[in-house]
Amino acid sequence: MSSSKTKAYFSVTLLFGAVTTLVVILLVNKREGGHITGLEELDLRRPPLGTGDATPVDSETTVLGPASAEDASAADGHQHPKVPATSGCASVHQEYDVHPRRFTLALSYREQLTNGIKNVFSLSRIGREWGAHATIPYVINSMVIGVPRGNSSVPVDLFLDFDEINSDLQCSKYRLPEIVSFNHFLQYATRNITYIHIAWDGKQVDFNEESVIRCNDWATEHHGELQTQLGMINGLAKLAKEPGFQITSTCCIDKLKPIDPKVMIDNCGLLDHEKSTVVFDEWRAHTKKKHEYRVVIPSIPWNESPHPDNDAYPVTEAVIKNATAFKKSFAADNDFIAVHIRTVKMAIRLSLEDSKECIVQLFQVVDNLTASSHLSCFYFVDYGPYSVEPYEKKRARLVILQLEDVRHIAPTHYDPSKFNGLKNSAFVSLVEKHAMAHAKFLVLAGRGSLFQLELSQTFKEKSKDGHLQRVC
C-alpha cells in the first residue's frame, strides 16, 4: 500500500490575558499502519536540517496517530486509539494497565536539554504508577518545556530519536510506557485536567500535616494564572481542530515532605478515567533522599528511568550527519584529541585560582597525550556563540580567556549556518557532543555535569578503543 500525505499549515495570534503570540505551523502526514508521520515546526523561516553540505535532509519525526478517519473522533470519549506499535511497548502497557487516553506532562521541566530530558523520563516513571503516557517535550533554545510557547519552540524529537528511545530504553530496558507526541496527546487525551501544583517551599499552601491535598483555595487565588496556562493548551488544541480542555480539579504537593505515589493517586483521583489528563506546573525529577531541588519519592529509585549515568540517548539522523560533517571540517578523517571544558561548572564549583590550576593540570594532560600520540587536539567549551548565557558568564568567560591568552587556543565551535543546521543551542550541543565522541582521546574538565556524563556514554559506544580521562 502506498501512503497518502496531507499537509496543513496554521498560523495564528492568540490573546491570553496579556498578549501572547503563538505562531504554530502544524505539518501532518498520514500513512498506513496506525501512525502519523510529521514535523511539528514552529518557525517557517527555520532552515532544513542538513547533511553538512547544501543538500537538506528529510527531518520528519514519527508520532502516534489514528489508523483511519474513524479513529480521529477518539477525543469524544467513544473510541480509543490503537495500541502503540513500538517494539516491546504493548507488553508494558498491558502489564501496568497503561490507559490509551491517560497522559501526564509538565508545563516546565525547568532545566536545559540533558537535565530537562532526564526530568521527562522521571515523570514518565512516576506516571507509570497510574498508567499514563508522558509526552515528547519542546525546547526554547535548550530549556525544556512540555507545551510549545511561541515560534521559538522546537520539538525535541527533531534532535532525539524517540522511536529508538521508546523501543530500546523506555519499554525494553526500563519497562516504562511509550512517550508520545504532543499531537497524539491533543488527539486522544480526555478533556478534564487534574492540575498539580508543587509547593517548592512548602509555605504557599496549608497542608495541615498532609503531603498531598486537594487545594481549591490555592486554585481560586491563582485563577488568572491557571486560565492563562489552560489557554495555551486550548489554543494549540484549536489549531489542531481538537476539543478544548478544562481544569476540573487541583492538587498540591508539599515538596518538603516525602511523597507516597499511592497517596498522590488516591488524594488526587488520578485513576479516574474521566480525570486522566494530569498536568504538573513544573517537574524537576524525583529522588529517594531529601533534596532541595527535587521531589522526594522514597519508593522509586532515580535509576528506574533513562539517565545519563547509564544511557546514551539516541539522536536523529540530522544530528548524526551534521556531527559527521562538522568533525570532518576540523579533523578530516584523522584521529584526534577532544577536550571538553564545562566552564559553568568550574565557575560554580571552583574559585578563580582553582580554575586556573585546573587549566594548568589540563594542559599537562594534553601535552602528554599529544607528545605520545602525535595527534592534533581540539578544545570545546559549553559557552559559545549559540549557547544559553550562563548566569556565571563572567567567570565562565575568564576560564575561556585562559585558553586563549596562555596557549593562544581558540575553542572549536559548530556553526549551523555552515552546515545547513539549526540555530538552536540544544541542537548545537548535540552536534558538538557527537563530533567529540569520534575522538581517539577524550579529556573532560569541570566535573558535575550531566552533559559530560552523557558525552562519556556516547564516547564509549562510538569509540571502542578510545581513551577517556577526567581532570579536576
Side-chain angles (χ1 to χ4, degrees):
M1 293 178 64
S2 61
S3 61
S4 62
K5 296 187 176 180
T6 61
K7 298 182 180 180
Y9 295 90
F10 305 91
S11 63
V12 68
T13 299
L14 303 174
L15 297 177
F16 305 138
V19 178
T20 303
T21 302
L22 288 178
V23 180
V24 179
I25 296 138
L26 203 59
L27 168 61
V28 176
N29 301 309
K30 292 184 178 179
R31 72 179 183 189
E32 61 181 346
H35 288 71
I36 289 175
T37 302
L39 172 64
E40 298 163 89
E41 191 169 79
L42 303 177
D43 189 345
L44 191 60
R45 296 167 300 173
R46 182 179 298 116
L49 300 184
T51 58
D53 53 28
T55 306
V57 298
D58 181 7
S59 51
E60 294 181 332
T61 54
T62 300
V63 299
L64 298 176
S68 64
E70 288 76 17
D71 282 339
S73 63
D76 66 10
H78 299 296
Q79 297 181 2
H80 297 310
K82 302 293 184 181
V83 174
T86 301
S87 175
C89 291
S91 63
V92 173
H93 299 165
Q94 182 176 8
E95 178 181 355
Y96 292 99
D97 191 25
V98 179
H99 195 277
R101 294 184 61 212
R102 194 180 295 143
F103 300 92
T104 186
L105 59 88
L107 298 176
S108 170
Y109 292 99
R110 182 72 178 188
E111 301 183 76
Q112 296 186 48
L113 186 65
T114 304
N115 274 293
I117 293 300
K118 179 204 67 177
N119 296 351
V120 174
F121 292 139
S122 164
L123 182 58
S124 175
R125 172 61 185 89
I126 304 306
R128 192 183 74 180
E129 296 295 301
W130 62 90
H133 293 280
T135 63
I136 295 172
Y138 290 74
V139 291
I140 296 180
N141 281 323
S142 63
M143 299 302 293
V144 181
I145 56 177
V147 178
R149 305 172 193 171
N151 64 356
S152 60
S153 302
V154 179
V156 170
D157 53 359
L158 199 61
F159 317 143
L160 299 180
D161 186 344
F162 271 86
D163 281 346
E164 192 171 343
I165 287 172
N166 280 323
S167 177
D168 296 350
L169 296 179
Q170 280 286 115
C171 298
S172 298
K173 182 175 180 178
Y174 292 100
R175 306 296 291 168
L176 298 178
E178 184 165 8
I179 298 178
V180 301
S181 76
F182 192 75
N183 262 354
H184 184 78
F185 161 77
L186 289 177
Q187 284 182 309
Y188 294 115
T190 56
R191 276 23 213 177
N192 295 327
I193 290 176
T194 295
Y195 185 93
I196 299 182
H197 166 67
I198 299 176
W200 296 102
D201 59 4
K203 299 177 182 179
Q204 304 167 353
V205 180
D206 182 7
F207 287 95
N208 194 24
E209 304 303 323
E210 297 289 334
S211 59
V212 181
I213 63 171
R214 297 288 180 101
C215 50
N216 293 331
D217 289 344
W218 179 90
T220 300
E221 293 174 6
H222 295 80
H223 175 77
E225 177 185 344
L226 292 179
Q227 289 306 305
T228 296
Q229 294 172 348
L230 180 63
M232 291 172 59
I233 298 174
N234 281 341
L236 295 165
K238 183 178 181 180
L239 292 175
K241 297 184 178 180
E242 300 291 348
F245 294 79
Q246 60 179 345
I247 298 175
T248 55
S249 63
T250 307
C251 264
C252 289
I253 292 177
D254 186 352
K255 184 266 169 197
L256 300 181
K257 298 185 180 75
I259 304 301
D260 183 340
K262 293 181 179 178
V263 172
M264 180 169 65
I265 290 169
D266 292 342
N267 289 4
C268 298
L270 302 186
L271 287 177
D272 184 345
H273 288 182
E274 294 305 314
K275 297 178 181 176
S276 57
T277 297
V278 179
V279 176
F280 289 81
D281 54 359
E282 183 174 274
W283 185 258
R284 304 179 188 175
H286 72 283
T287 181
K288 287 189 67 173
K289 299 179 181 180
K290 187 175 180 180
H291 194 288
E292 65 178 356
Y293 196 66
R294 315 286 183 202
V295 174
V296 178
I297 305 180
S299 62
I300 302 179
W302 64 268
N303 60 356
E304 289 189 357
S305 59
H307 192 281
D309 258 341
N310 305 315
D311 307 293
Y313 302 154
V315 296
T316 60
E317 191 68 18
V319 172
I320 294 172
K321 289 181 176 179
N322 272 261
T324 301
F326 173 51
K327 178 261 177 184
K328 288 184 176 180
S329 72
F330 63 81
D333 292 321
N334 302 317
D335 288 334
F336 64 98
I337 302 167
V339 175
H340 183 265
I341 306 173
R342 189 73 165 96
T343 62
V344 175
K345 286 295 182 182
M346 290 179 65
I348 294 171
R349 291 175 52 249
L350 303 177
S351 66
L352 185 58
E353 287 303 315
D354 287 339
S355 295
K356 291 179 179 179
E357 179 60 30
C358 178
I359 295 296
V360 170
Q361 293 178 30
L362 176 64
F363 286 152
Q364 290 174 346
V365 169
V366 171
D367 287 346
N368 290 336
L369 283 176
T370 53
S372 60
S373 67
H374 305 290
L375 297 178
S376 298
C377 180
F378 301 92
Y379 289 79
F380 300 82
V381 295
D382 56 346
Y383 182 30
Y386 293 96
S387 63
V388 176
E389 287 197 348
Y391 56 88
E392 291 283 1
K393 62 180 180 181
K394 290 184 179 180
R395 290 177 60 189
R397 179 61 183 155
L398 287 174
V399 173
I400 298 174
L401 285 175
Q402 292 178 68
L403 292 176
E404 298 173 344
D405 294 345
V406 177
R407 290 288 184 100
H408 305 291
I409 295 170
T412 301
H413 294 293
Y414 163 76
D415 183 349
S417 64
K418 295 180 179 179
F419 298 89
N420 202 21
L422 186 62
K423 294 179 180 179
N424 173 279
S425 58
F427 182 79
V428 168
S429 69
L430 286 174
V431 169
E432 291 188 352
K433 180 180 72 177
H434 279 263
M436 285 184 275
H438 286 284
K440 183 72 172 179
F441 299 93
L442 176 63
V443 182
L444 306 177
R447 296 186 179 183
S449 164
L450 283 184
F451 176 87
Q452 288 190 345
L453 280 176
E454 193 181 2
L455 171 57
S456 300
Q457 293 290 342
T458 305
F459 175 74
K460 291 173 184 176
E461 285 190 1
K462 289 183 177 292
S463 185
K464 301 302 181 183
D465 60 345
H467 176 75
L468 173 65
Q469 187 166 349
R470 293 182 174 86
V471 180
C472 52

